[in-house]
Amino acid sequence: MEERDVWACLPHRGPRWESLVKPQLERVATREAEVTVEVFQEVLAAIEPRLAASSYLPFKGLALALPSCAPDFLRTTLPRIAQLALAVETLFERLPEQRNVGEAAFTCLETALTHEQVACLLANALFGTFGDNPLLSSFCFHTVLHNQHTATLLGILHYFERVCHTMPPGRITIRRQSLSAEQIPNWRECDASMCPLQVDLDLRIEDALDHLQVDFANRAIGGGVLRGGCAQEEIRFGICNPELLVSMLLCPPMDHNEAIVITGAERFSIYTGYTRAVKWEGDYTDKEARDEDGSVTTSVVAIDALMHPMDAQYAEELVVRELNKAYVGFCPVGGDHRPVATGRWGSGEFGGDPFLKFVIQWLACSAAHRDKMVYCAFGAAELRDAVNTWLLNAGLLTDGTPSVTVDKVYQRCIAACAELLRLAKAQPSETSLPTVFDLMCPHQPEPTLNQWRWCVAL
């Protein structure tokens, strides 16, 4: 588990803070002059001199986004954001403590921040004040301000409008959890019952209240959100819950046995579309339940799948890698067995087999004794229908309830993957190979293989 001493690298500890950075922030915070787009750009260019020589100025994305912001954004909100950035001197006088909330070989390193501390760090990212430290210099919103695809920028600016008006109560916890080899199940012998399952065509993961919500993470959490990316993780971090962005500052890239769980990040915006068609659509009032201190109980788990694994993903070693990764993320801490809301994790942009990833996530949820797995199909009716057909034909349900154990489903899955590997090698030009679902169903013919029939027994 790699460590990163962020607190020693905060902007006010840098060599230019007193002489340059702080005076520039005060220029905006005190409204020394009328705060205009030009003044904002001058301040950012003074803090980061390389901006002046780049193609980023003027910020085209900012010009496009401002008409959708509140009319007094430049006059009122931006000075308050500068005040938040300056508050780094007082808000971090006492540094946040990291504590282990895990048990035995289950390591859970947890850091808690107030919403004001998170807003302070994000305000410094907006003004680009982390540039003195090479380790943290990429935690900066310059690209977002320049990008003419403005959905992420609008999500971030709206977040600042909200917190500058009313700071949310409570705190956000960021927990990096890891398991030793001894704590990982022996998948061939795991006798936990398969958990209940729901496939929902319309539900979005972020709308699944009182669930552990899966972030289809990159190994470096946040992925390309600050570089113009707009897949599932980037939408969640940049538009829905910008407070999640602080994890990019605090968390180094994940190891194979690590996951990151963030609890308490509020949701501020809604959106439509996906990837390049995504659009910020306006304000959202978080409907999640709250703890006694006012924190929302939303928990987001970041787990990174293999990137473009091709046929190698069917090798047992890589299936186990994905199983272990999902299991580490789904392992309950403090008795939290809430259902898991997930979807096409490791598929889509990552290029994995959605059928195999479905089985892997269901196995991991079951081994972690989660109450249920809710699979959000994002409108893909054919995937929902394939899952329903598979569950019926594979004999995994009795009266609509899973009736088998993890080890049995795992063994069937591995046998199916082995057959897929064999077929891929034997017929490399075959474009219509059976799916993992097909091969896990007893007595299911595969018409593209000349009456070939195969059964993986329980």
Side-chain angles (χ1 to χ4, degrees), residues 36-98:
T36 63
V37 171
E38 290 72 25
V39 168
F40 178 52
Q41 292 177 161
E42 287 173 12
V43 166
L44 266 62
I47 293 173
E48 177 47 80
R50 287 175 295 184
L51 264 181
S54 74
S55 60
Y56 278 22
L57 295 179
F59 288 129
K60 297 177 182 178
L62 180 63
L64 292 170
L66 280 176
S68 298
C69 296
D72 63 346
F73 181 86
L74 291 172
R75 186 177 68 254
T76 303
T77 303
L78 193 57
R80 290 177 179 172
I81 299 173
Q83 292 164 15
L84 276 172
L86 286 163
V88 68
E89 293 180 312
T90 55
L91 290 174
F92 291 94
E93 276 184 329
R94 182 177 179 181
L95 300 181
E97 296 181 355
Q98 188 179 70

Side-chain angles (χ1 to χ4, degrees), residues 188-326:
R188 288 188 175 273
E189 298 179 3
C190 179
D191 60 359
S193 297
M194 296 300 292
C195 69
L197 180 65
Q198 175 186 339
V199 180
D200 196 297
L201 193 61
D202 301 314
L203 182 70
R204 287 176 170 173
I205 293 173
E206 62 271 16
D207 292 328
L209 303 182
D210 199 27
H211 286 60
L212 177 66
Q213 301 171 356
V214 177
D215 163 30
F216 304 168
N218 287 262
R219 181 170 177 259
I221 192 169
V225 63
L226 301 184
R227 303 188 305 273
C230 44
Q232 191 257 9
E233 180 173 43
E234 289 84 1
I235 291 171
R236 189 68 195 265
F237 279 54
I239 302 176
C240 297
N241 305 71
E243 290 174 315
L244 296 173
L245 291 168
V246 76
S247 64
M248 300 175 67
L249 182 65
L250 302 182
C251 300
M254 288 180 274
D255 288 334
H256 287 315
N257 66 334
E258 282 187 317
I260 298 170
V261 178
I262 306 167
T263 301
E266 293 217 14
R267 183 177 170 192
F268 295 92
S269 293
I270 56 175
Y271 70 95
T272 57
Y274 195 67
T275 60
R276 303 307 299 178
V278 69
K279 293 182 179 179
W280 178 82
E281 293 290 356
D283 184 59
Y284 178 85
T285 301
D286 205 313
K287 300 177 177 63
E288 188 63 83
R290 294 180 180 267
D291 284 333
E292 292 180 358
D293 67 356
S295 305
V296 293
T297 57
T298 303
S299 287
V300 177
V301 58
I303 48 176
D304 57 303
L306 294 167
M307 183 69 78
H308 302 299
M310 308 298 285
D311 290 340
Q313 68 185 301
Y314 301 113
E316 185 170 9
E317 177 184 0
L318 295 191
V319 172
V320 168
R321 186 273 179 200
E322 301 290 73
L323 264 172
N324 293 347
K325 172 62 70 169

Side-chain angles (χ1 to χ4, degrees), residues 104-390:
F106 189 18
T107 302
C108 297
L109 299 179
E110 184 175 277
T111 301
L113 300 170
T114 66
H115 289 272
E116 188 175 14
Q117 286 176 316
V118 171
C120 169
L121 294 174
L122 297 185
N124 275 282
L126 181 68
F127 280 94
T129 66
F130 287 96
D132 281 339
N133 190 287
L135 183 67
L136 307 178
S137 60
S138 62
F139 191 62
C140 168
F141 296 167
H142 291 162
T143 301
V144 178
L145 289 164
H146 176 69
N147 191 347
Q148 295 183 62
H149 186 249
T150 60
T152 297
L153 178 58
L154 284 167
I156 291 172
L157 297 182
H158 179 68
Y159 156 74
F160 280 122
E161 288 179 332
R162 284 275 304 272
V163 298
C164 285
H165 183 269
T166 304
M167 191 63 65
R171 59 187 54 226
I172 296 170
T173 61
I174 301 171
R175 187 173 70 239
R176 289 172 56 213
Q177 51 195 49
S178 63
L179 286 174
S180 67
E182 293 75 22
Q183 294 292 107
I184 297 290
N186 180 336
W187 296 103
R188 288 188 175 273
E189 298 179 3
C190 179
D191 60 359
S193 297
M194 296 300 292
C195 69
L197 180 65
Q198 175 186 339
V199 180
D200 196 297
L201 193 61
D202 301 314
L203 182 70
R204 287 176 170 173
I205 293 173
E206 62 271 16
D207 292 328
L209 303 182
D210 199 27
H211 286 60
L212 177 66
Q213 301 171 356
V214 177
D215 163 30
F216 304 168
N218 287 262
R219 181 170 177 259
I221 192 169
V225 63
L226 301 184
R227 303 188 305 273
C230 44
Q232 191 257 9
E233 180 173 43
E234 289 84 1
I235 291 171
R236 189 68 195 265
F237 279 54
I239 302 176
C240 297
N241 305 71
E243 290 174 315
L244 296 173
L245 291 168
V246 76
S247 64
M248 300 175 67
L249 182 65
L250 302 182
C251 300
M254 288 180 274
D255 288 334
H256 287 315
N257 66 334
E258 282 187 317
I260 298 170
V261 178
I262 306 167
T263 301
E266 293 217 14
R267 183 177 170 192
F268 295 92
S269 293
I270 56 175
Y271 70 95
T272 57
Y274 195 67
T275 60
R276 303 307 299 178
V278 69
K279 293 182 179 179
W280 178 82
E281 293 290 356
D283 184 59
Y284 178 85
T285 301
D286 205 313
K287 300 177 177 63
E288 188 63 83
R290 294 180 180 267
D291 284 333
E292 292 180 358
D293 67 356
S295 305
V296 293
T297 57
T298 303
S299 287
V300 177
V301 58
I303 48 176
D304 57 303
L306 294 167
M307 183 69 78
H308 302 299
M310 308 298 285
D311 290 340
Q313 68 185 301
Y314 301 113
E316 185 170 9
E317 177 184 0
L318 295 191
V319 172
V320 168
R321 186 273 179 200
E322 301 290 73
L323 264 172
N324 293 347
K325 172 62 70 169
Y327 178 76
V328 171
F330 299 162
C331 265
V333 174
D336 181 3
H337 292 271
R338 287 183 291 178
V340 171
T342 187
R344 299 184 68 168
W345 171 70
S347 310
E349 297 287 322
F350 282 74
D353 180 337
F355 303 107
L356 174 58
K357 290 298 194 291
F358 179 96
V359 178
I360 285 172
Q361 292 185 91
W362 191 24
L363 286 166
C365 280
S366 302
H369 301 287
R370 288 285 172 175
D371 292 340
K372 180 168 65 172
M373 184 175 94
V374 177
Y375 189 89
C376 303
F378 301 117
E382 68 282 359
L383 182 58
R384 177 203 58 189
D385 296 343
V387 170
N388 289 335
T389 300
W390 170 62

